[in-house]
Amino acid sequence: MANVFPRWSNFLPIKLAVFLVFAGIGVVCGVTYYFTGKYTRVGYMPGQPVAFDHSLHVGQLGMDCRYCHSYVEESLFSNVPVTQTCYNCHSQIKQDSPKLAPVRESIETDEPINWVRIHQVPDYAYFNHAVHVARGVSCQSCHGQINEMEVVYEAQPLTMGWCLECHRGPEEYLRPADEVTNLTWKPSDENRAAFYHELAEVSGSSYDELLAQAKAKFGFEDIESAMSQREIGTALVDVLGVNPPESCTACHR
Amino acid sequence: MKRVWQHPETETGAKASAGPINGDRVYWRSYEELDDTPEFREWLEREFPRGAAEMEGDEADDVTRRSFLKYMGASTALAGFGMAGCRRPTLYLVPYAKSVEWVIPGKPTMYATAMPRVKGCMPLVATTHEGRPTKLEGNPLHPNSNGGTDAVAQASIIGLYDPDRSKRVLRDGKRSTTAEFDAFLQEAQLLPKIEKGKGLAFLVGENSSPTRWRLLGEITKKFPNAKVYRYEPLNGEPQRRANEVLFGAGTTQTPRFQRADRILSLDCDFLGTDELGGDATGEFSRGRALNAKKKRMNRLYSVEPAFTLTGGMADHRLRAHASQMPRIAALVGKAIAEETGDNDLQAAVTPLLEKVNAAVFNEPWINECAKDLAKSKGKAIVVAGTRQPKEMHVLVALINRALGAFEGGQKAVIEVRQTREEAMPGLGALVEAMKAGAVKTLITTTEADPVYDAPADFDFATLYDEVETTVHLGLRANATARASTWHLPAAHYLESWGDIRSVRGVYSIVQPMILPLYDECVTELEVYLKVLNPPAASAEGGEAEEDSGPGIPINGMPRAEDPGPAYEAVKETFASFVKGDGDVSTAWNHALRDGFLPRTIYPRVDGAIQPAALEGLGEGGAFEQPFPWKDGMEIIFATDSKIYDGRYVNNGWMQEAPDPITKLTWDNAALMSVRTADDLGVRENGDMITIEVDGTSVTVPALVLPGPADHSITISLGYGQKGSGAIGDGTGFDMYPLRRSGIGEYVATNAKVTGEPDEPRYPLALTSEHYNMDGRAIVREGTMEMWKANPEFAQTQGMDSHIPPTIPLYQGPDYMDADSPRSTNDPAWNKVRLVDPNHQWAMTVDLNTCTGCNACLVACQAENNIPIVGKDQVMKGRIMHWVRMDRYFSSPKEELTFAAEKFSLAAEEGIGHERGRPKVDDDEVSMLTQPVSCMQCESAPCETVCPVNATVHTDDGLNAMVYNRCIGTRYCANNCPYKARRFNFFDYNKRPLEKLYWGPLAPPAGRGTTSERLQKNPNVSVRMRGVIEKCTYCVQRIQAAKIDAKVKAGQASQDVQVPTNAIKVACAQACGADSIVFGNLKNPEDTVNEKKADPRNYELLKYIGTLPRTSYLARVRNPNPAMPNAASVGQATADMH
């Protein structure tokens, strides 16, 4: 009887095993890279030409985000400050600090400072800062506790799934629009009475009704008890109709 | 569910469905379609025809499927070695060092400006993103604009970013510098040597810039012996001379079409290439509009030698030879004189009639037309083409006077105004002076290219060479630039300070959007200023500096606040226009904001015709042109609808925009009728013919279309330029060598034309057969009579009258009712809002006013980053335009028989496959146009077949296209009944068009510069290879408007709705005729709802149940019942079913 299996098939199992080992390594590498924060660059913390310390300026000095990122409420792009903005203060204070040499140089030569970009969504995703800020998405929701960062790093994955999490369930993230740039805000800071009074005024409905609705839903015991994020978010979504779009064209054009 | 169709009986027994034959008229887009050849069938039945899918071997590129795969494999392997894919590049955020006024990063800024044109200007609003202009729109504030633009204005923006633009000062064709030119001006080579400017001459273009006139005046004052000549190859000089004798020097006639009830065009394509200036399309369409309130419309008669947009819009069209127009005008004059009893006209016409053999013209047509015009005395206009001779214009003015067109003061249908322009000698005078050796230094600033486009009998190139010093200013390094001693690169109008007066005189400002991209660019005004005030010897020793040294560039626009000398000059002129003791600087700021200075219209002059005008009316040969026939044909040198006289030859958008009539891209061709073609033995489009005029001959491809006069060949100018750049090189054929000055300048008669059966057929990239819709009632028309009897006539045309009920198995959301159970999808795991209760987008296109001018097509290209694909790809059916401008011809069905004699002839000659041509009565053909883009079907067939959900429906009723999801199966394109989807077969945006087949091995596009990228709209993805794309209703504009509304509302609004009519999509905004209306169905105030309620509204292919959001308003023609061919007007789709 002739050989059914040709000679080369003797080595087939070994070849297969070697292949499987390599394939396995590939899969492991792939998963480690693509399925974890490494791919999404969470934690990406490049050095900047000027060691600007957010924890000092925002955390300690209490500067508002919009002093430097001045067009965040108007434009799709939250601008990084022009050198002139830095110089407004630093022409008076710490004029000679060696850390500020690039700023002085930029002012003198009119050449801009090249800040390293940290937060980047793909070119085919059109994120708009102005509308998020106007509708009550805090800076902190996407950028993390900037006020505690000495060096800014990417705090959130900025993936599509992550975006959709909020677009599908905005209750978990929305806050009153005037608290958007308050990075230390907590839901428990809100005064329930004041919150519903304002809500009633804006929406034109009755305060008592809103309060009763909320009570029915969240069953808080007394009006002074701490508010939860879900309660605030639900009120904003249901009463004011903050309704984030979920169709593709919202971000892709 | 199978639907049963009950087609009504037809009297004529026409073929029921397949094929383009329906009812008593047929409509079709090319002879091949009418003929229904097997090749045409095959072309049609494939989504992306011929070779599109197979990658079959291509002779031109010599890349076969196999070698392509080889290259691809190799390059993929190489890409792996580079490790480029492993690290993401570090990106930078680069803010300004100091804040820039008005600039908010990410927000566009708009500035008013104006595009100088040969006649007046096109008022514009330029959109700039962080300082780079990306899009041009009309300026609705401007008195001479309704906010629309045209294709040329839309495409002019890539002229700015053209990689082949002239960038350097050249001396004898070699690299030089601005400093050297300044030194040359200064160091006695030019100015001091010339005694009072003796021997100094300027050749300037047509331009109504007051500052330019002022500076030229100052120059001639400073150098009294200097001479200024004016030259444009297609300027309509005869008309100007006619106006001079009729109403005095510097006068213009402006027809106000919106005031006219009856319009007769004698070879005047005022809706297309024959720019009368101003807003002819807008005005005409206002007189044409039809709605619930306005139930009257104008009537347009057109006499023309080949189809034009005007002829397509006409209610009655007469085909006639261009050379015979004066004779026809005489016949019209005779009839009008009889009707109106105008003795002066009678007296003027009588001697002319001796030269007219009325029998060869369609006299009943002319007489009935004249009667109709006379009936609307005071509201009738006759317009003559600018290419017609002076005598004809004088005669037409007499006719207009008899019709009372100049009467009525403010309300006159033709306004006569006094411009400030002075009479100026033309090119002929310059040539005389050059021959006499009187020109030593010639400074050429005209945008034309005289060495290339001057009439051949001038032998301009030789004379130009003999001039001692020639200086040329131009955007392109064209033939004149190469022949000149000095060439200065010109600044684009979007980089220049200037001013311009619109055709009616409104003082408009040309405002720069950006500093010149190349340091050495100068504007025309700056050249004059330099001649007036020669620059001081260059500061630091005057040595030639390196390329872009930090010195102050010639344009005088340094980095500091000083905006340059041209700015000062314009401002000085401006001050003289501010009336009374007005505050000049306030007025200036307002003018910059609005784009114009109000109350600066040219003064009106009395429309009385000077008696001297009539002298010599019958002389000059205008009325004695030989009647064209087989052995002595007429050649019409036409203005090209895309590249004008050749100056836009390197503009890719214009080259690829299909000609509105011929649907030809990337070329020109000899347009002729079937009869002419038969006489010449031309069998198919692209067969070569030789045209000989006065001993010069040119061989060009033929293009056979219905509608041209027999033995009249129309061919456009401007092609066949050498060294014009990567786009323009190798396109078309140069017709200028055939052109002679004098009466043959626009129309040559007695030309010998012969067929060249031995020449290989020239491939023509025609788009008329792309994406055909196979003879259904796609475009619809009727007549005033039909409309009055039944305003809903369009809704019963085609199959719409007998659609069987649709019983759907599955129904999508009810987009007009957000609360309907169908409109919600609320499973516990995911609450999805399927329908937006506040926004549902829709569009209407009014075919009654759509002329088919291509403005929407090019505007869409500019807005949506649509690439051009090149001639080769166009021929493969891969053109990318999202808007397809369909053009249909319609003719009576009786004539649809194959010419029997042709059949037998073919048989005798043994030409096997020759089938003869379908016989069409050229006199009865009419034309219809229709822009078609994605219909945004509510029940879209494309969405259901996409395997990756790359095309889905949005809650506001858009058929969204998600490029980043698309994997390129093209199922959607295959399933689209409207053929509105386009596929990126190559990286058209990324690779040079001639190296597409090189794939990743090709160098990046842009010939070494990245300037082209600056035009891209940052709010639209630039698509890559392998992705389907299509119209999205300018979703970026919709989103921007929605976001604006939401930002304004903050958190405090339950129902945010975009304000009424807040969104203008690019095509609607560009439409000069206001035919396209876009809006929100959920806002009853939006105009689109009014249009949708119009009884003329119909949907394309309604019976297939796609529920398209775009719908059309049928065209209504307004025939004169007394006309000989009245019965067949407007009947193209009347009895289709």
Side-chain angles (χ1 to χ4, degrees):
Chain A
M1 190 181 153
N3 285 335
V4 175
F5 294 102
R7 182 172 277 275
W8 60 262
S9 63
N10 292 346
F11 295 98
L12 194 63
I14 300 167
K15 283 177 177 168
L16 266 179
V18 171
F19 169 77
L20 282 177
V21 166
F22 278 106
I25 293 171
V27 169
V28 169
C29 292
V31 168
T32 345
Y33 186 68
Y34 289 104
F35 289 14
T36 64
K38 286 191 176 59
Y39 180 63
T40 60
R41 299 215 293 197
V42 170
Y44 177 53
M45 187 161 67
Q48 297 289 357
V50 182
F52 180 83
D53 181 354
H54 276 84
S55 71
L56 173 70
H57 289 82
V58 184
Q60 292 179 36
L61 301 175
M63 284 171 68
D64 192 278
C65 308
R66 290 164 296 182
Y67 181 76
C68 301
H69 305 287
S70 47
Y71 298 124
V72 68
E73 289 172 313
E74 289 172 60
S75 172
L76 59 97
F77 176 69
S78 173
N79 59 311
V80 291
V82 298
T83 320
Q84 184 66 49
T85 309
C86 312
Y87 210 62
N88 286 347
C89 299
H90 285 292
S91 58
Q92 319 268 337
I93 188 166
K94 296 256 183 198
Q95 298 108 308
D96 304 322
S97 163
K99 280 185 177 173
L100 289 168
V103 172
R104 291 191 297 271
E105 193 191 317
S106 166
I107 281 288
E108 274 160 29
T109 59
D110 232 8
E111 292 293 329
I113 299 171
N114 287 7
W115 300 94
V116 180
R117 182 164 196 159
I118 300 166
H119 301 92
Q120 161 84 350
V121 290
D123 287 345
Y124 49 78
Y126 290 85
F127 179 82
N128 187 305
H129 275 89
V131 74
H132 285 88
V133 172
R135 302 289 260 183
V137 180
S138 169
C139 312
Q140 182 259 336
S141 302
C142 308
H143 296 289
Q145 290 309 130
I146 292 275
N147 55 331
E148 291 165 11
M149 293 182 195
E150 255 176 66
V151 180
V152 176
Y153 56 87
E154 187 167 322
Q156 299 285 351
L158 307 189
T159 56
M160 181 164 156
W162 173 84
C163 291
L164 278 173
E165 214 169 274
C166 181
H167 274 243
R168 287 180 176 151
E171 304 85 7
E172 303 292 346
Y173 305 93
L174 290 179
R175 57 173 77 170
D178 47 4
E179 300 291 354
V180 162
T181 58
N182 180 357
L183 301 179
T184 54
W185 180 87
K186 293 190 295 297
S188 52
D189 294 348
E190 285 293 312
N191 178 318
R192 186 171 277 118
F195 179 82
Y196 283 110
H197 270 299
E198 202 180 332
L199 198 63
E201 198 179 311
V202 170
S203 66
S205 31
S206 111
Y207 167 74
D208 294 331
E209 221 170 84
L210 289 176
L211 201 64
Q213 273 174 16
K215 193 158 192 170
K217 248 186 207 163
F218 297 98
F220 47 83
E221 301 201 340
D222 74 290
I223 195 153
E224 294 300 327
S225 67
M227 287 183 87
S228 69
Q229 170 60 45
R230 182 169 274 271
E231 185 183 348
I232 292 170
T234 308
L236 291 173
V237 170
D238 289 353
V239 182
L240 295 181
V242 176
N243 209 341
E246 283 169 61
S247 40
C248 308
T249 51
C251 309
H252 304 300
R253 292 155 202 176
Chain B
M1 167 156 302
K2 179 99 177 140
R3 294 196 291 174
V4 184
W5 292 82
Q6 306 292 344
H7 293 287
E9 285 296 312
T10 55
E11 288 169 27
T12 48
K15 265 206 275 174
S17 62
I21 307 147
N22 271 294
D24 287 337
R25 277 180 85 87
V26 289
Y27 70 110
W28 37 284
R29 304 198 296 186
S30 67
Y31 279 124
E32 285 70 20
E33 178 181 351
L34 191 59
D35 202 358
D36 210 22
T37 58
E39 294 80 13
F40 177 73
R41 282 276 114 203
E42 194 207 328
W43 170 265
L44 208 55
E45 275 155 17
R46 314 200 58 148
E47 174 61 27
F48 296 105
R50 198 168 59 133
E54 291 94 333
M55 269 293 303
E56 64 191 16
D58 190 288
E59 289 161 31
D61 300 277
D62 204 23
V63 178
T64 59
R65 183 191 179 87
R66 180 168 290 181
S67 64
F68 178 75
L69 286 174
K70 210 158 62 187
Y71 289 138
M72 286 300 289
S75 58
T76 314
L78 281 171
F81 285 118
M83 303 289 281
C86 293
R87 292 274 177 276
R88 269 185 261 195
T90 305
L91 300 172
Y92 295 95
L93 288 168
V94 186
Y96 296 103
K98 296 193 180 90
S99 283
V100 181
E101 196 180 23
W102 305 119
V103 171
I104 296 177
K107 276 207 134 178
T109 4
M110 324 282 202
Y111 295 97
T113 185
M115 179 190 185
R117 297 285 270 264
V118 169
K119 287 269 173 69
C121 65
M122 175 68 76
L124 295 174
V125 175
T127 305
T128 67
H129 282 99
E130 285 90 44
R132 65 192 165 92
T134 58
K135 180 80 173 63
L136 303 168
E137 307 291 1
N139 181 357
L141 291 179
H142 196 285
N144 287 170
S145 169
N146 62 349
T149 43
D150 60 8
V152 169
Q154 286 293 341
S156 67
I157 192 144
I158 54 162
L160 169 66
Y161 299 118
D162 183 356
D164 293 322
R165 232 182 100 176
S166 170
K167 301 166 188 133
R168 303 274 187 231
V169 175
L170 300 177
R171 180 174 198 169
D172 298 321
K174 287 182 205 77
R175 175 87 185 81
S176 181
T177 62
T178 301
E180 275 178 29
F181 179 71
D182 285 354
F184 156 79
L185 271 186
Q186 182 65 23
E187 282 167 24
Q189 292 209 45
L190 172 65
L191 299 176
K193 191 161 104 184
I194 303 159
E195 180 190 327
K196 287 189 174 172
K198 194 156 177 250
L200 176 63
F202 290 85
L203 185 58
V204 302
E206 195 84 5
N207 188 313
S208 58
S209 161
T211 303
R212 194 188 79 162
W213 285 97
R214 184 171 67 80
L215 294 179
L216 284 174
E218 281 178 26
I219 287 176
T220 41
K221 212 180 278 167
K222 189 170 174 187
F223 307 105
N225 291 330
K227 288 272 185 311
V228 183
Y229 303 90
R230 162 155 64 189
Y231 173 65
E232 290 281 351
L234 299 168
N235 66 341
E237 189 68 27
Q239 192 180 30
R240 188 200 319 277
R241 282 190 286 121
N243 284 336
E244 260 166 41
V245 297
L246 283 164
F247 305 107
T251 50
T252 61
Q253 296 182 53
T254 322
R256 303 304 304 274
F257 293 104
Q258 60 184 356
R259 297 177 188 156
D261 281 346
R262 300 287 179 266
I263 301 159
L264 168 62
S265 150
L266 294 172
D267 193 22
C268 178
D269 181 17
F270 61 89
L271 296 173
T273 52
D274 214 350
E275 275 187 60
L276 299 183
D279 178 24
T281 304
E283 292 207 352
F284 175 77
S285 66
R286 258 166 270 157
R288 198 83 185 161
L290 213 54
N291 53 44
K293 277 169 237 142
K294 186 171 167 299
K295 293 191 186 292
R296 292 166 40 117
M297 63 188 228
N298 60 25
R299 179 174 296 151
L300 173 62
Y301 298 90
S302 177
V303 185
E304 57 186 18
F307 255 115
T308 63
L309 292 178
T310 311
M313 289 303 284
D315 300 302
H316 294 281
R317 176 180 182 272
L318 178 65
R319 115 195 132 97
H321 298 97
S323 59
Q324 304 305 310
M325 284 298 159
R327 288 189 169 118
I328 290 173
L331 288 174
V332 172
K334 175 183 144 225
I336 298 237
E338 278 165 15
E339 291 295 321
T340 59
D342 188 293
N343 292 331
D344 290 353
L345 180 60
Q346 186 82 55
V349 166
T350 311
L352 301 177
L353 288 172
E354 287 167 17
K355 299 171 184 168
V356 182
N357 174 9
V360 300
F361 300 107
N362 191 342
E363 249 199 316
W365 196 100
I366 294 168
N367 288 339
E368 287 301 336
C369 167
K371 260 187 215 163
D372 195 33
L373 292 172
K375 256 187 249 163
S376 296
K377 200 175 167 191
K379 288 207 163 282
I381 307 184
V382 182
V383 282
T386 47
R387 65 181 171 217
Q388 288 296 327
K390 180 193 129 193
E391 292 76 18
M392 161 111 174
H393 286 281
V394 172
L395 179 58
V396 165
L398 287 174
I399 295 173
N400 277 324
R401 187 178 62 177
L403 289 171
F406 301 113
E407 291 161 22
Q410 295 288 338
K411 292 244 153 62
V413 287
I414 301 182
E415 292 174 353
V416 185
R417 295 184 181 276
Q418 179 69 48
T419 71
R420 286 201 189 173
E421 292 179 26
E422 293 150 36
M424 211 181 241
L427 190 68
L430 174 65
V431 166
E432 289 308 312
M434 284 161 99
K435 277 185 185 152
V439 179
K440 296 270 177 280
T441 304
L442 178 61
I443 300 181
T444 308
T445 59
T446 175
E447 274 193 71
D449 184 1
V451 170
Y452 158 75
D453 57 25
D457 53 334
F458 285 162
D459 198 12
F460 191 82
T462 317
L463 290 171
Y464 194 75
D465 258 356
E466 285 163 7
V467 176
E468 212 168 277
T469 312
T470 46
V471 180
H472 172 260
L473 172 80
L475 269 171
R476 302 187 297 122
N478 53 20
T480 311
R482 291 193 294 272
S484 303
T485 326
W486 287 96
H487 164 71
L488 304 177
H492 192 263
Y493 74 93
L494 290 169
E495 302 167 333
S496 316
W497 275 108
D499 53 5
I500 192 90
R501 298 189 78 163
S502 78
V503 77
R504 291 174 60 217
V506 179
Y507 184 91
S508 314
I509 301 212
V510 181
Q511 193 177 183
M513 299 296 124
I514 189 169
L515 278 174
L517 291 183
Y518 309 103
D519 277 352
E520 293 179 359
C521 294
V522 269
T523 70
E524 189 182 348
L525 297 181
E526 281 153 5
V527 171
Y528 299 145
L529 284 164
K530 246 175 200 270
V531 173
L532 274 173
N533 313 306
S538 302
E540 276 86 53
E543 279 168 28
E545 281 177 37
E546 275 309 296
D547 286 14
S548 50
I552 293 177
I554 188 175
N555 53 57
M557 289 210 250
R559 293 169 203 284
E561 275 67 34
D562 173 22
Y567 171 79
E568 299 299 334
V570 171
K571 229 176 148 181
E572 199 180 323
T573 320
F574 178 83
S576 69
F577 276 87
V578 179
K579 299 241 168 69
D581 50 355
D583 176 10
V584 173
S585 82
T586 314
W588 172 253
N589 285 338
H590 286 184
L592 284 186
R593 183 195 61 193
D594 300 342
F596 65 97
L597 181 68
R599 293 187 297 282
T600 44
I601 211 158
Y602 289 132
R604 184 186 297 279
V605 292
D606 182 18
I609 292 174
Q610 296 172 1
L614 301 181
E615 284 167 22
L617 187 56
E619 290 158 25
F623 295 89
E624 282 141 17
Q625 294 272 56
F627 197 86
W629 67 298
K630 206 170 161 180
D631 295 333
M633 296 205 190
E634 162 189 286
I635 312 294
I636 302 169
F637 304 112
T639 309
D640 194 77
S641 65
K642 302 184 289 176
I643 65 168
Y644 192 62
D645 59 2
R647 67 184 55 169
Y648 306 127
V649 72
N650 206 44
N651 187 317
W653 290 356
M654 291 317 281
Q655 285 277 10
E656 195 153 303
D659 180 278
I661 310 296
T662 61
K663 296 292 148 191
L664 180 62
T665 61
W666 294 93
D667 273 306
N668 60 346
L671 188 58
M672 60 181 72
S673 70
V674 174
R675 175 139 182 234
T676 321
D678 283 349
D679 284 346
L680 293 173
V682 167
R683 282 184 223 135
E684 267 183 48
N685 291 338
D687 279 356
M688 300 302 275
I689 56 165
T690 297
I691 302 173
E692 188 190 328
V693 176
D694 286 351
T696 318
S697 59
V698 169
T699 303
V700 291
L703 179 55
V704 188
L705 274 184
D710 292 332
H711 305 130
S712 167
I713 290 178
T714 303
I715 182 155
S716 59
L717 295 164
Y719 289 89
Q721 295 188 41
K722 292 187 183 70
S724 57
I727 302 283
D729 278 353
T731 56
F733 298 83
D734 184 6
M735 297 308 291
Y736 281 111
L738 295 187
R739 221 174 160 219
R740 301 285 178 274
S741 61
I743 197 151
E745 196 166 351
Y746 294 96
V747 183
T749 45
N750 247 334
K752 305 263 171 302
V753 186
T754 44
E756 296 284 354
D758 299 335
E759 290 271 326
R761 188 166 289 154
Y762 182 81
L764 292 172
L766 288 159
T767 65
S768 53
E769 292 154 32
H770 288 189
Y771 301 110
N772 196 285
M773 294 215 266
D774 218 354
R776 302 174 180 102
I778 306 302
V779 65
R780 294 179 191 181
E781 68 166 2
T783 61
M784 266 316 250
E785 213 178 316
M786 287 159 72
W787 181 72
K788 278 185 178 146
N790 174 21
E792 297 183 355
F793 71 89
Q795 306 196 358
T796 54
Q797 290 184 352
M799 299 202 193
D800 290 10
S801 57
H802 50 280
I803 303 175
T806 311
I807 306 160
L809 290 174
Y810 164 77
Q811 271 183 305
D814 181 352
Y815 285 94
M816 295 314 287
D817 180 8
D819 299 327
S820 150
R822 273 161 56 196
S823 307
T824 46
N825 172 11
D826 203 359
W829 55 276
N830 183 13
K831 186 191 77 187
V832 179
R833 189 180 64 160
L834 292 177
V835 173
D836 183 338
N838 300 316
H839 303 106
Q840 292 300 327
W841 307 109
M843 183 186 276
T844 57
V845 183
D846 192 343
L847 299 179
N848 206 32
T849 49
C850 172
T851 64
C853 69
N854 273 353
C856 51
L857 183 148
V858 184
C860 176
Q861 191 157 27
E863 171 73 16
N864 291 304
N865 300 337
I866 301 172
I868 55 164
V869 300
K871 178 178 174 182
D872 181 44
Q873 299 283 310
V874 172
M875 286 195 291
K876 293 192 158 86
R878 294 170 180 174
I879 204 160
M880 296 302 289
H881 299 138
W882 290 1
V883 179
R884 178 183 73 231
M885 184 57 77
D886 282 340
R887 180 268 294 121
Y888 294 94
F889 293 115
S890 142
S891 60
K893 195 191 147 218
E894 287 84 350
E895 299 294 334
L896 188 82
T897 46
F898 294 113
E901 67 272 34
K902 186 74 188 167
F903 253 135
S904 51
L905 187 76
E908 273 168 33
E909 289 177 1
I911 310 162
H913 67 284
E914 179 73 58
R915 289 155 47 93
R917 281 199 189 80
K919 196 170 167 189
V920 167
D921 184 352
D922 270 322
D923 289 321
E924 292 285 331
V925 179
S926 62
M927 193 182 99
L928 287 147
T929 57
Q930 181 179 38
V932 180
S933 54
C934 173
M935 297 281 136
Q936 315 288 344
C937 310
E938 277 183 19
S939 172
C942 50
E943 290 169 11
T944 49
V945 295
C946 181
V948 292
N949 264 359
T951 182
V952 290
H953 228 69
T954 68
D955 54 355
D956 48 359
L958 298 181
N959 173 230
M961 183 67 219
V962 191
Y963 304 121
N964 40 310
R965 257 190 200 166
C966 180
I967 57 168
T969 64
R970 289 180 275 143
Y971 294 167
C972 55
N974 215 17
N975 216 29
C976 174
Y978 305 99
K979 301 289 160 228
R981 287 174 166 269
R982 307 285 177 266
F983 184 66
N984 286 278
F985 281 89
F986 290 96
D987 262 330
Y988 296 119
N989 269 311
K990 219 162 128 189
R991 315 265 179 234
L993 297 182
E994 64 278 11
K995 288 178 183 160
L996 290 172
Y997 287 86
W998 290 31
L1001 299 178
R1007 272 91 76 204
T1009 79
T1010 52
S1011 60
E1012 274 174 329
R1013 290 188 211 162
L1014 295 176
Q1015 186 278 325
K1016 298 280 184 249
N1017 183 349
N1019 295 318
V1020 179
S1021 303
V1022 176
R1023 281 82 55 187
M1024 64 176 293
R1025 177 171 52 83
V1027 170
I1028 280 271
E1029 59 184 70
K1030 61 151 202 114
C1031 162
T1032 56
Y1033 272 170
C1034 285
V1035 64
Q1036 64 281 8
R1037 294 190 180 198
I1038 294 176
Q1039 292 300 343
K1042 273 191 183 178
I1043 285 171
D1044 263 5
K1046 284 186 178 175
V1047 169
K1048 276 206 190 89
Q1051 280 182 327
S1053 171
Q1054 178 72 44
D1055 293 314
V1056 185
Q1057 192 176 48
V1058 168
T1060 303
N1061 288 332
I1063 303 175
K1064 275 210 156 193
V1065 290
C1067 53
Q1069 192 161 17
C1071 184
D1074 288 331
S1075 303
I1076 306 178
V1077 174
F1078 174 83
N1080 182 2
L1081 293 177
K1082 283 292 190 178
N1083 180 353
E1085 305 288 308
D1086 264 23
T1087 322
V1088 75
N1089 289 298
E1090 194 186 303
K1091 298 276 177 188
K1092 289 270 177 193
D1094 192 301
R1096 288 185 290 131
N1097 185 48
Y1098 73 93
E1099 290 160 7
L1100 293 199
L1101 308 184
K1102 185 178 182 182
Y1103 56 89
I1104 58 175
T1106 50
L1107 305 174
R1109 276 290 168 86
T1110 303
S1111 58
Y1112 293 82
L1113 272 58
R1115 178 175 285 191
V1116 176
R1117 302 237 192 213
N1118 187 12
N1120 173 2
M1123 292 295 282
N1125 62 347
S1128 67
V1129 173
Q1131 306 290 330
T1133 56
D1135 38 17
M1136 278 187 143
H1137 53 82

